[in-house]
Structures are given as C-alpha cells and as structure tokens.
C-alpha cells in the first residue's frame, strides 16, 4: 500500500474512533452516573396498594418483601440513584425485611 493510502486509512480510522467515543460519552451524561445517599431517619407510610422492598435502590433489585397501603415503615437512609429516583432504606422495626422502597410508593410522616 502506498504511503498516501496508509495515511488516509489511518486518518479515517482515527476519525471513526473519535466519533464513536463522542457518541458513547454523549449517550451517558456524567450527571446520570452520579448518585447520592445520606443518613437520615424517619417514618414512612405506604401510599401504593402494594409496594416491593428491594435489595438495591433500582427497579432491578431483587424483591425481599412486599408492603401494603397504610403500613408504617422506619427508614435510616435515603439515596437518589443515577436515574434521579429517591429510595429509602427501611428496617425490620415493623416486621418488614430490610431493603429499599421507592419514594413514589411511600410518603414521609
């Protein structure tokens, strides 16, 4: 291959690499990867007809318990996940298995 052809191919490959890198970084903004947690205690009551208590503060966490409307829960921590959803860590004070409940299914007392 001639030197000019090699240069064009390498320039094209570098351009494709930069384009792909830009596409991947644009698809996952830095703010989406961030999550925040804070120690905070309090009480909740369940507002949903039924709500899962999960092992992780994401919808994909394994369900360890189910709570029902009107039940009272204690929480000791809250976290906002990378999707911007607020979750509470609940304990066994009222007979619930420890885990995370989505804030859309409960309200603070």
């Amino acid at each position: 291959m001639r030197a000019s052809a090699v240069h064009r191919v390498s320039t094209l490959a570098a351009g494709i690499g930069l384009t792909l890198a830009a596409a991947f970084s644009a698809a996952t903004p830095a703010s989406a990867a961030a999550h925040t947690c804070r120690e905070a205690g309090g009480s909740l009551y369940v507002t949903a007809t039924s709500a899962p208590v999960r092992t992780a503060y994401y919808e994909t966490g394994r369900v360890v318990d189910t709570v029902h409307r009107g039940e009272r829960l204690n929480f000791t921590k809250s976290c906002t996940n990378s999707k911007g959803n607020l979750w509470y860590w609940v304990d066994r004070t009222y007979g619930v298995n420890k885990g995370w409940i989505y804030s859309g299914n409960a309200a603070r007392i």
Side-chain angles (χ1 to χ4, degrees):
M1 199 182 288
R2 293 168 63 196
S4 62
V6 170
H7 178 71
R8 281 195 303 260
V9 170
S10 65
T11 303
L12 177 63
I16 290 171
L18 290 174
T19 303
L20 288 174
F24 284 118
S25 65
T28 308
S31 61
H35 64 86
T36 57
C37 293
R38 62 187 186 104
E39 300 293 323
S43 296
L44 305 168
Y45 68 93
V46 180
T47 56
T49 302
S50 66
V53 177
R54 299 182 179 274
T55 57
Y57 50 89
Y58 284 91
E59 190 176 31
T60 56
R62 185 174 55 83
V63 176
V64 294
D65 207 340
T66 301
V67 291
H68 302 280
R69 180 174 288 149
E71 288 186 50
R72 185 175 171 163
L73 309 170
N74 280 345
F75 72 96
T76 56
K77 184 187 321 186
S78 63
C79 289
T80 301
N81 65 19
S82 62
K83 295 181 179 187
N85 299 319
L86 177 62
W87 292 72
Y88 295 103
W89 176 258
V90 296
D91 63 24
R92 292 187 55 87
T93 303
Y94 294 101
V96 175
N97 286 325
K98 291 180 181 180
W100 294 97
I101 186 168
Y102 173 57
S103 64
N105 293 326
R108 291 182 73 162
I109 298 175

